[in-house]
Amino acid sequence: MSSNSFFNQMNQAYLEERYESFKKDPDSVDASLKYFFLGFDAAREEITVDKSSGEVRRSMMPLEFFAEKNYHQTTFRESDTVQEIAFQIIAAYREHGHLEAKINPLVDPEPSKFLNNNTHGLLESDMDTQVSTANLPLPEKMPIKDLIAALRAMYCDTIAVEYVGVVQEVDEFNWVKEQIEVSKADTQIDPSEREWIYKNIYKAAAFEQFLHKKFVGQKRFSLEGLDSMIPALHGLVDEFAKLGGTEVVLGMAHRGRLNVLANLLHKPYSSIISEFLGNHSKQIKGDGDVKYHLGYTQDVTTLDGRVTHVSLNPNPSHLELVNPVIQGRVYSRQKLTSDIEKDKIVSVIIHGDAAVSGQGINMEMLQLSQLKGYAVGGTIHIIADNQIGFTAFSKESRSTRYPSDLFQMVHCPIFHANADDPEACVRALRLAVKYRMKFKKDVVVHLVGYRRYGHNEGDEPSFTQPLMYKDIKAHTTAQRMYKKHIVDSQLLEKSKIDEIEKIVDTQLENDYERVQSNQTIIANTKEDETWQDYIDEDKETRITGVSIDLLKQITELVSKHPSDFNANKKITKFLAQRVKLFEEDKIDWAFAETLAFGSLLVQKHNVRLSGQDSRRGTFTQRHQVVYDSKSGEEYIPINHLSDDQKTICVFNSMLSELAVLGFEYGFSLSNPNALNIWEAQFGDFVNGAQAMIDQFIVSAESKWKTQSGLVMMLPHGYEGQGPEHSSARLERFLQQCADYNMRVCNTTTPANYFHVLRRQVVKRDRKPLILMTPKVLLRLKACTSTKDDFSEDKIFLKIIAGEKGQLKSPKSLTRLIFCSGKLYYELADYLTKNDIKDIEIVRLEQLYPFPDDVISEVIKTCTSLKEVYWVQEERKNMGAWTFVEPRFTELFEGSDLKIKYVGRTEGSSPCTGYAKVHKEQQAQLIAEAFTK
């Protein structure tokens, strides 16, 4: 037997333990191990002859030799018995059977040396030798040729599996082996399921052909070549429901999406046909999106009548971008519905072969899959393998044999199935569901098919793949092959098949005629009750303050830990000083944040905070989680405010922006009643997630009518730390502001920070909040608030005029300086030190929606005003200048006032990397704000 394969099946410690037992009593181990060790000892024996004495010496090579030397790739010695060879062959098929499996509908598998009889020393004269079949579900003894035939039926048919050397847990390994090592008779399905499979594959094929004929050349990103995915998905939903599941959340790119919408989620054909004809309702708000990006939600009835809620999330053309969004959405749903065992709601992601190999977000997503705070109990991954990516061959798209090889990193089984065999595809998905439900881990089904047309239906694929498309053109469709098989084998009556086809064809034609009669058909997706209390736009000013008594209660309880808890002395002091800060009216930034979180928890809103170093805080400011110095046990003071409060969950995320931000965005889609925050370590790193921002966060409501209340905390501010630790690229967010799609704020006081966080939950709409957060202000003595600033009659201030929100002598002012962020404190310091009386500073705490109404009110009070300046520390082509300049210009229309700029010059990098140069530039722009 290949020791390398066995080392991959079981860990070495387990193998050695069993071997020691075998040496003491051969009958004390499993029969397959017994025969393995018998042959293994023979293979390990090394015979040498001493040249001087002629003495023959026998020694045993160590177990490690076989793993290190890849021993199983050599031809076994002549001394091996046929029985020993039989066990070697069993191991070889378990590990390498997929190499000769009939999983590719276009190409026959090449012979593998791993499965070659000569490799194992098996002679033609040995083929009739009776051998033990160990624990295989076969007769106890049979000719070795029949054993090989049985192994080929198990491991080399139209379904195959990789698990040896991949799966590392013994119970998972044995489970997969038991599911695969079954007889052909055990995999047979009953007539009702076969009829169900044919109905679904026919619907998939007929739908595509109907669109192909009616809408010639229109893009639809056909599923043809992978039609079996539709019955396979129905098999997934059916098996999940049988095992007690109630909800499936599905993510996929555009290839085959229309077919999934129509034939899994039952989006009406008439609605899709209407979209092909260009019809849409003028009453629908927003820009909308192309039909093959849209989502849908519906209750699906399974084969045996169970009802399962299935939703397909919208997705942009960025193929794999939705994947962490699905995980976050499912995690949130599991929390919301108390699905503690994670067996009621499941995430399913359909990947393309080129995209799953090429997009790095998949590695990030897999790294999240088993982490606390992110694990959803396993995702079912389906790879829809066209064997081509746009015009690139597989060999141009990846360096691995299979597009599924990436998933070996999470040690899950990988099932391969030939998309020309719908029953194999259904079986593979059923196995995947069972594995996921039993072991709560990711699992992969690789459906190998082809793409009948070009990347879209207007492409000519034979330009670049002439030989491949010659074969595809001559290749019979899976539906027709399956029909021939079940008719010729008399597995289903021809009359029943004709009836199925007639019903589907008639429905397609009738729906087409209905839409042709100038009717715009809008599909009614099932409404999400979670969102029923929320509106598109809440224009009301909401009170965000709370009572002083509540603030005091929170302060007292978050300022201590249990007496027997051995916290770090500095942390104990940090917590205790909050009482003093509260009493002295010197509430700082981190304390205000804790008060915001605590007040929301008491008012029955959960809080989730996720980011790199978020538990402690990048700048050692937060300490929401305290650790026992002796035991390492953690304690979260804010989760101990009252018996009936909600909870805060704070997680240190892995070192990723793109996938983690996508996960948090997905979480926000299912839990609008919670405060959901993603925090960047530094705001500069947010551009690692730019695609998620562009395609989902800022545009999803316009494209797909999807709201999110996600908060993005982005540390921002020029402090001489260089171009990668200064800018959260405020300008990029402001450039994308329109149609009230988000809120962009840069608060400057602890109290206003408190109010802007609470406003996210108090408002009746849900918009992403892009929040520039400070670094230097965390410990700036001037940056504190009084407890009255948090009281129950207070609100979030969109602007703060002067030091306290009120201009001292507005009629005497000749110049107003508008700014945003921590720069205010530097400007205010200059103003005070130079005793300037005719200039005041106004802070824009909210940049979008632009607060033109409150700015106008301030301007009106300044009757002697001659100059208005916008001052920023960012480059002129960065920061807020290009956003505020046209808005101030419009605001001043009809007056003599003009907005003028003070700040750094334009540049390609956010700032200098030299601390001395930074200080000089900063001092210059501050002085110019008052003297220019």
Side-chain angles (χ1 to χ4, degrees):
M1 175 181 181
S2 151
S3 68
N4 218 12
S5 66
F6 201 87
F7 272 105
N8 287 332
Q9 291 179 40
M10 314 285 191
N11 61 55
Q12 185 177 332
Y14 175 79
L15 175 63
E16 291 175 344
E17 185 269 325
R18 293 283 80 200
Y19 184 57
E20 289 301 317
S21 298
F22 165 78
K23 287 195 295 185
K24 295 175 183 177
D25 179 7
D27 293 325
S28 66
V29 299
D30 181 83
S32 61
L33 282 177
K34 175 182 176 180
Y35 287 113
F36 161 67
F37 287 136
L38 286 171
F40 194 49
D41 278 347
R44 289 177 65 205
E45 186 177 38
E46 184 175 38
I47 301 174
T48 58
V49 179
D50 188 291
K51 291 183 179 179
S52 59
S53 64
E55 180 184 357
V56 177
R57 297 173 180 168
R58 287 180 168 82
S59 60
M60 300 294 279
M61 290 180 284
L63 298 179
E64 291 85 347
F65 170 85
F66 295 90
E68 293 170 359
K69 299 298 183 182
N70 210 10
Y71 189 72
H72 66 297
Q73 294 186 21
T74 64
T75 301
F76 284 83
R77 303 187 315 181
E78 293 179 4
S79 61
D80 287 347
T81 67
V82 176
Q83 181 61 67
E84 292 161 359
I85 291 173
F87 284 110
Q88 296 157 13
I89 289 174
I90 291 172
Y93 273 92
R94 285 172 175 167
E95 184 172 5
H96 302 296
H98 62 92
L99 298 177
E100 289 191 14
K102 296 178 286 186
I103 56 174
N104 192 328
L106 299 180
V107 181
D108 291 332
E110 294 182 1
S112 169
K113 289 183 179 180
F114 292 115
L115 304 179
N116 189 297
N117 291 340
N118 292 333
T119 300
H120 300 279
L122 188 66
L123 305 176
E124 188 64 31
S125 59
D126 297 325
M127 298 305 286
D128 290 323
T129 303
Q130 293 278 325
V131 293
S132 169
T133 59
N135 58 353
L136 287 167
L138 299 170
E140 187 175 342
K141 280 185 174 284
M142 61 170 41
I144 193 169
K145 66 180 181 182
D146 293 342
L147 171 64
I148 294 171
L151 288 168
R152 294 195 68 82
M154 294 171 184
Y155 285 100
C156 302
D157 205 349
T158 52
I159 184 171
V161 65
E162 292 179 84
Y163 69 110
V164 178
V166 180
V167 175
Q168 293 191 340
E169 299 298 327
V170 173
D171 55 344
E172 295 174 34
F173 177 92
N174 287 333
W175 183 89
V176 175
K177 178 165 66 69
E178 290 166 6
Q179 299 298 314
I180 293 297
E181 293 179 352
V182 294
S183 67
K184 194 77 173 176
D186 292 332
T187 64
Q188 294 300 306
I189 60 176
D190 60 40
S192 62
E193 183 171 4
R194 185 168 289 111
E195 179 184 332
W196 180 70
I197 290 174
Y198 183 73
K199 179 180 74 173
N200 283 304
I201 196 170
Y202 184 76
K203 288 174 73 174
F207 176 77
E208 295 292 357
Q209 282 302 299
F210 178 85
L211 295 179
H212 190 66
K213 293 173 183 176
K214 297 291 187 182
F215 305 103
V216 179
Q218 277 206 46
K219 289 182 182 179
R220 69 178 192 278
F221 299 100
S222 163
L223 186 63
E224 288 164 282
L226 281 160
D227 313 69
S228 291
M229 191 168 77
I230 297 301
L233 285 170
H234 277 283
L236 180 156
V237 175
D238 182 67
E239 193 66 36
F240 183 57
K242 282 181 181 178
L243 297 174
T246 59
E247 184 175 342
V248 175
V249 182
L250 181 63
M252 67 181 298
H254 45 272
R255 173 72 56 202
R257 175 179 280 262
L258 292 177
N259 212 314
V260 171
L261 285 167
N263 294 316
L264 176 67
L265 287 96
H266 307 302
K267 182 176 181 179
Y269 292 149
S270 56
S271 177
I272 296 173
I273 291 167
S274 183
E275 291 165 353
F276 268 95
L277 291 170
N279 300 333
H280 69 281
S281 173
K282 296 180 180 179
Q283 297 176 348
I284 296 177
K285 183 181 177 182
D287 295 316
D289 202 352
V290 292
K291 51 190 168 291
Y292 39 79
H293 288 171
L294 303 178
Y296 200 69
T297 299
Q298 197 56 266
D299 288 338
V300 174
T301 302
T302 66
L303 175 61
D304 59 358
R306 293 179 174 88
V307 176
T308 304
H309 188 73
V310 182
S311 60
L312 174 62
N313 205 83
N315 191 50
S317 286
H318 298 59
L319 303 171
E320 303 286 317
L321 201 60
V322 77
N323 301 353
V325 176
I326 297 299
Q327 286 181 308
R329 187 174 167 187
V330 167
Y331 185 91
S332 182
R333 289 287 300 152
Q334 289 171 339
K335 295 282 284 186
L336 200 64
T337 60
S338 300
D339 183 13
I340 298 171
E341 299 299 323
K342 303 183 187 299
D343 55 9
K344 300 298 181 186
I345 305 171
V346 69
S347 52
V348 178
I349 297 175
I350 302 174
H351 309 266
D353 53 310
V356 74
S357 303
Q359 299 287 304
I361 195 171
N362 291 303
M363 186 280 292
E364 296 185 24
M365 172 194 62
L366 291 175
Q367 289 289 20
L368 278 177
S369 66
Q370 293 296 314
L371 298 182
K372 181 181 179 181
Y374 307 91
V376 297
T379 295
I380 300 171
H381 301 271
I382 302 168
I383 299 177
D385 189 351
N386 297 301
Q387 305 191 61
I388 189 170
F390 211 137
T391 63
F393 288 105
S394 297
K395 63 184 179 183
E396 298 173 290
S397 297
R398 62 178 185 268
S399 299
T400 58
R401 175 184 292 273
Y402 300 122
S404 55
D405 286 348
L406 170 70
F407 294 88
Q408 292 187 19
M409 66 182 279
V410 291
H411 310 298
C412 68
I414 299 168
F415 297 97
H416 305 274
N418 187 323
D420 271 358
D421 184 348
E423 291 185 15
C425 295
V426 170
R427 181 185 171 210
L429 262 298
R430 289 190 183 278
L431 287 172
V433 172
K434 290 176 181 177
Y435 175 88
R436 187 273 179 199
M437 294 293 276
K438 185 174 180 64
F439 298 107
K440 302 298 190 292
K441 289 185 177 180
D442 288 50
V443 63
V444 185
V445 175
H446 173 212
L447 301 181
V448 187
Y450 54 91
R451 190 186 68 197
R452 184 156 290 277
Y453 305 106
H455 174 69
N456 63 64
E457 286 65 34
D459 280 348
E460 177 47 73
S462 62
F463 290 161
T464 49
Q465 279 79 26
L467 299 182
M468 181 182 192
Y469 273 86
K470 181 181 178 182
D471 291 340
I472 290 173
K473 190 175 182 180
H475 193 79
T476 304
T477 67
Q479 174 262 321
R480 288 174 181 167
M481 280 192 279
Y482 189 53
K483 178 179 179 179
K484 185 176 188 304
H485 165 67
I486 58 181
V487 170
D488 291 351
S489 304
Q490 297 183 332
L491 297 173
L492 203 62
E493 293 180 4
K494 178 70 165 55
S495 60
K496 175 56 69 175
I497 291 175
D498 292 341
E499 181 185 350
I500 290 171
E501 295 179 357
K502 183 178 180 180
I503 291 172
V504 174
D505 293 345
T506 301
Q507 184 180 357
L508 283 165
E509 288 294 343
N510 287 346
D511 280 15
Y512 180 75
E513 292 300 324
R514 180 183 166 202
V515 177
Q516 283 287 81
S517 63
N518 296 320
Q519 292 187 39
T520 298
I521 309 297
I522 301 173
N524 293 315
T525 186
K526 187 174 177 64
E527 295 296 328
D528 186 348
E529 294 179 358
T530 309
W531 285 88
Q532 65 184 4
D533 295 330
Y534 299 91
I535 59 177
D536 290 343
E537 184 174 346
D538 182 1
K539 296 182 179 180
E540 296 294 323
T541 299
R542 301 289 176 179
I543 299 295
T544 49
V546 298
S547 71
I548 299 297
D549 288 341
L550 177 57
L551 293 171
K552 185 176 181 180
Q553 174 194 343
I554 295 169
T555 300
E556 291 173 352
L557 292 170
V558 299
S559 299
K560 57 188 177 182
H561 53 72
S563 58
D564 60 348
F565 191 85
N566 302 291
N568 182 288
K569 291 181 179 179
K570 291 182 179 179
I571 298 300
T572 300
K573 182 180 178 181
F574 171 84
L575 296 176
Q577 73 178 0
R578 288 170 169 169
V579 174
K580 183 180 180 182
L581 294 175
F582 186 81
E583 291 173 350
E584 295 180 353
D585 276 340
K586 294 181 179 179
I587 298 171
D588 64 16
W589 202 275
F591 187 14
E593 178 185 84
T594 297
L595 292 173
F597 292 167
S599 61
L600 289 171
L601 297 178
V602 171
Q603 294 171 347
K604 307 297 187 298
H605 299 283
N606 286 312
V607 177
R608 176 182 168 91
L609 170 61
S610 165
Q612 296 158 26
D613 309 309
S614 286
R615 300 188 119 193
R616 185 204 70 176
T618 298
F619 311 103
T620 322
Q621 83 280 10
R622 181 171 291 126
H623 298 291
Q624 284 294 343
V625 184
V626 183
Y627 299 91
D628 189 295
S629 299
K630 294 182 179 179
S631 67
E633 181 184 352
E634 63 182 48
Y635 178 77
I636 303 176
I638 203 171
N639 278 340
H640 300 273
L641 301 177
S642 68
D643 293 336
D644 60 347
Q645 71 169 84
K646 293 294 185 177
T647 58
I648 185 172
C649 295
V650 188
F651 298 105
N652 289 335
S653 76
M654 70 181 200
L655 201 64
S656 156
E657 283 76 40
L658 183 60
V660 177
L661 178 58
F663 184 98
E664 298 307 329
Y665 170 76
F667 186 97
S668 72
L669 298 180
S670 293
N671 200 344
N673 193 46
L675 179 65
N676 183 200
I677 303 170
W678 176 76
E679 181 179 49
Q681 189 180 59
F682 282 85
D684 312 66
F685 305 153
V686 72
N687 57 10
Q690 196 65 49
M692 195 65 66
I693 295 164
D694 295 346
Q695 310 312 129
F696 283 100
I697 293 172
V698 305
S699 60
E701 185 173 4
S702 179
K703 293 189 292 187
W704 310 314
K705 299 192 294 181
T706 303
Q707 285 196 3
S708 164
L710 178 67
V711 179
M712 293 175 60
M713 286 186 178
L714 309 176
H716 174 86
Y718 283 47
E719 295 154 10
Q721 297 300 308
E724 270 73 58
H725 291 83
S726 299
S727 174
R729 298 291 187 172
L730 173 63
E731 64 279 358
R732 292 180 179 170
F733 293 100
L734 293 174
Q735 183 189 41
Q736 297 184 87
C737 289
D739 304 321
Y740 187 34
N741 61 330
M742 56 180 159
R743 303 180 185 113
V744 181
C745 297
N746 192 356
T747 54
T748 58
T749 72
N752 224 25
Y753 176 50
F754 168 93
H755 290 296
V756 80
L757 290 177
R758 285 184 50 81
R759 185 178 68 163
Q760 277 298 100
V761 178
V762 172
K763 280 273 193 181
R764 289 190 59 214
D765 60 10
R766 288 294 175 263
K767 307 289 178 180
L769 170 61
I770 313 303
L771 186 58
M772 303 292 119
T773 54
K775 294 168 284 183
V776 70
L777 299 189
L778 297 173
R779 292 175 176 84
L780 187 70
K781 290 183 178 180
C783 184
T784 61
S785 298
T786 69
K787 49 182 167 286
D788 184 63
D789 295 331
F790 301 80
S791 62
E792 51 195 340
D793 61 335
K794 297 300 189 295
I795 62 171
F796 170 70
L797 301 175
K798 297 177 183 177
I799 72 169
I800 301 178
E803 183 181 3
K804 299 292 185 180
Q806 193 75 31
L807 297 176
K808 291 181 180 178
S809 304
K811 293 182 180 180
S812 64
L813 297 178
T814 60
R815 176 183 295 193
L816 277 182
I817 294 173
F818 285 85
C819 68
S820 185
K822 66 92 175 173
L823 180 62
Y824 161 75
Y825 289 93
E826 296 168 89
L827 293 168
D829 185 59
Y830 186 98
L831 183 76
T832 302
K833 287 180 177 178
N834 290 276
D835 196 27
I836 299 171
K837 303 295 185 182
D838 61 342
I839 301 176
E840 266 285 17
I841 307 167
V842 181
R843 289 168 267 178
L844 264 63
E845 301 285 286
Q846 176 174 291
L847 290 156
Y848 186 81
F850 190 67
D852 48 5
D853 52 345
V854 285
I855 293 174
S856 295
E857 291 176 8
V858 170
I859 296 291
K860 288 176 183 178
T861 65
C862 303
T863 54
S864 302
L865 192 62
K866 296 178 180 178
E867 297 175 307
V868 180
Y869 279 86
W870 174 261
V871 184
Q872 67 178 41
E873 55 186 356
E874 299 92 345
R875 298 276 197 182
K876 189 175 184 180
N877 58 321
M878 301 176 189
W881 168 243
T882 55
F883 176 81
V884 301
E885 189 272 334
R887 286 162 176 79
F888 271 108
T889 299
E890 184 178 347
L891 193 66
F892 295 156
E893 191 173 347
S895 74
D896 295 331
L897 292 175
K898 291 184 178 180
I899 187 73
K900 300 175 183 178
Y901 172 81
V902 171
R904 287 175 169 84
T905 59
E906 293 184 348
S908 56
S909 172
C911 63
T912 179
Y914 303 105
K916 185 176 180 181
V917 174
H918 163 78
K919 290 180 180 178
E920 292 171 352
Q921 291 176 345
Q922 198 79 352
Q924 180 182 347
L925 74 87
I926 290 168
E928 285 185 357
F930 297 93
T931 61
K932 189 173 181 179

